[in-house]
Amino acid sequence: MALYSDNTQLNSENSSSLLLEMMYGFKISQALFVAAKLEIADILSDGSKTADELAKASGVNSQGIYHLMRMLVSVGVFCLEDNDKFCLNSLGKHLLTGTSDSLRGTVLAMGDELYQGWGNLLYSMKTGETAFEYTFKMSFYDYLKQNSEAAVNFNEWMKETTREWLLPVLEAYDFSEVKTLVDVGGGIGTLTAVILNANPKMQAILFDREDVVVDANPVLKVAGVADRCQIVGGSFFDAVPPSGDLYLLSRVLLNWDDDRAITILKKCYQVMTAKDRLMIVDFMLPEGKMSPFIGMGSLTLFAIGGNFMRTQDEFYHLLSSAGFKVTNMIETKGPASVIEATLA
């Protein structure tokens, strides 16, 4: 789907079609979600199948799956052969489970609870309150604690988007002098593992909630870095592990309002020395034009937690309020930026 940022590119003949294409977009996303949920790509991984064969393998209605697959074929996901059998193509392969370029976790996370939360975006606009809490009667993170499947999908989403969005950080930042990295709010360790693999002399401490880091060891073992990473469970609102010389906050502050973001920063400040560095990897809201990706991301934060993406100046304000001074600002080839800071 083409998303235009400059309305002068449109004319009266195609503007209505484009608007309808945008409006109908949720139907495509839900069709992708259903295909991912039913593991259609995995079923097709050993060869093409008819709709009846897909229905039998996935336990669903034959006519329904036929029309679902025909619709997905029409937008370029999956292929239809002359013998009326469906097969994988380059797009459909991203729905496979557990492959190096899989986006299935992202599709499942976006297509279920987040989709339902976005359905109440108007409520958030009217009240300033969180659409997700209005929909599910609890906060996003409380929901993840109580729903293991949603938590697994969320962790896969974070893992997949780490690959897609954050790996350019490795090209832009010099880790060569870092002895011990402390990944604060590092989830199941996907980014920690990548950084350790790229820096074989580095040690790391992975820190996040107990219910999150319980799933980190397999990730670190598969990456071959478990022997260089200590896993610590806890809350960054209470304390942050000491003994690091680089403290990483990757996609952490965006989840919290200013007061709680400053609290997290102050907990880092309390264990850092004058020689240590703080590294923030996050998305930044530009002052002028922005991409649809950033716009949708900011509204997703609003729907989930009532926050928005911050500008560079707003990040600088948070840091100064917590006792830090900015020493470097790095743009990457990806959507995330890097702010480096030390104790003021």
Side-chain angles (χ1 to χ4, degrees):
M1 179 183 294
L3 292 174
Y4 290 84
S5 59
D6 184 353
N7 289 335
T8 61
Q9 298 181 43
L10 303 177
N11 57 51
S12 58
E13 293 181 359
N14 64 21
S15 60
S16 61
S17 297
L18 178 60
L19 183 63
L20 289 175
E21 183 183 1
M22 291 176 176
M23 189 62 205
Y24 294 155
F26 78 92
K27 300 179 182 181
I28 298 174
S29 68
Q30 275 301 289
L32 284 170
F33 168 72
V34 171
K37 189 78 172 177
L38 296 177
E39 301 180 351
I40 297 299
D42 294 313
I43 296 171
L44 293 174
S45 62
D46 63 351
S48 58
K49 303 282 191 300
T50 65
D52 287 340
E53 290 169 331
L54 287 175
K56 183 178 180 180
S58 59
V60 297
N61 177 268
S62 179
Q63 282 189 307
I65 200 69
Y66 175 75
H67 287 277
L68 176 80
M69 294 299 292
R70 287 291 303 272
M71 181 265 197
L72 287 172
V73 167
S74 74
V75 295
V77 184
F78 304 118
C79 291
L80 179 61
E81 298 175 340
D82 292 338
N83 56 3
D84 229 22
K85 287 189 174 184
F86 298 96
C87 61
L88 282 175
N89 61 6
S90 59
L91 276 183
K93 287 181 179 179
H94 291 298
L95 296 179
L96 287 166
T97 302
T99 58
S100 61
D101 59 353
S102 175
L103 293 171
R104 183 171 181 265
T106 301
V107 172
L108 290 175
M110 284 288 179
D112 200 340
E113 291 85 2
L114 291 182
Y115 172 78
Q116 295 179 61
W118 262 81
N120 284 313
L121 183 62
L122 180 60
Y123 169 83
S124 289
M125 290 296 171
K126 288 183 173 181
T127 65
E129 298 178 8
T130 306
F132 191 93
E133 291 189 22
Y134 177 75
T135 306
F136 294 98
K137 312 308 177 188
M138 66 183 75
S139 73
F140 180 67
Y141 289 107
D142 284 342
Y143 184 90
L144 293 182
K145 288 179 183 178
Q146 297 181 30
N147 294 271
S148 59
E149 183 179 352
V152 168
N153 292 337
F154 175 78
N155 287 334
E156 284 298 307
W157 175 29
M158 293 298 99
K159 176 181 175 181
E160 291 164 7
T161 52
T162 292
R163 181 189 69 226
E164 296 291 323
W165 300 342
L166 301 186
L167 293 191
V169 171
L170 294 178
E171 301 175 8
Y173 192 81
D174 182 10
F175 292 92
S176 61
E177 300 300 319
V178 179
K179 295 179 180 178
T180 303
L181 169 75
V182 181
D183 192 351
V184 179
I188 58 173
T190 304
L191 185 57
T192 307
V194 173
I195 294 174
L196 285 175
N197 262 323
N199 299 273
K201 295 182 180 180
M202 184 190 295
Q203 300 287 319
I205 299 171
L206 174 65
F207 179 67
D208 212 317
R209 299 192 322 267
E210 292 277 4
D211 60 296
V212 174
V213 295
V214 68
D215 296 320
N217 198 49
V219 174
L220 299 170
K221 280 188 173 181
V222 168
V225 297
D227 60 331
R228 291 192 284 130
C229 185
Q230 178 186 357
I231 300 173
V232 179
S235 170
F236 44 46
F237 294 117
D238 297 330
V240 168
S243 305
D245 55 326
L246 179 65
Y247 285 78
L248 171 63
L249 289 168
S250 174
R251 293 187 295 180
V252 171
L253 299 182
L254 83 174
N255 295 307
W256 306 101
D257 60 31
D258 285 0
D259 288 342
R260 286 180 287 184
I262 290 171
T263 297
I264 297 168
L265 290 170
K266 285 183 175 178
K267 294 303 178 183
C268 294
Y269 182 96
Q270 290 171 4
V271 296
M272 290 175 61
T273 71
K275 295 181 180 180
D276 300 336
R277 290 176 287 169
L278 178 72
M279 179 184 181
I280 296 174
V281 178
D282 223 320
F283 306 113
M284 293 189 191
L285 196 68
E287 297 290 352
K289 286 185 178 180
M290 64 182 178
S291 68
F293 169 85
I294 292 296
M296 287 185 283
S298 191
L299 284 176
T300 297
L301 293 177
F302 184 46
I304 291 176
N307 306 306
F308 297 97
M309 288 186 181
R310 295 182 173 94
T311 64
Q312 179 178 319
D313 287 344
E314 288 171 331
F315 273 110
Y316 283 22
H317 173 72
L318 291 181
L319 287 162
S320 63
S321 298
F324 289 94
K325 63 180 180 181
V326 174
T327 54
N328 202 0
M329 171 72 192
I330 305 171
E331 299 292 338
T332 74
K333 294 179 180 179
S337 299
V338 177
I339 302 175
E340 184 188 74
T342 59
L343 307 187

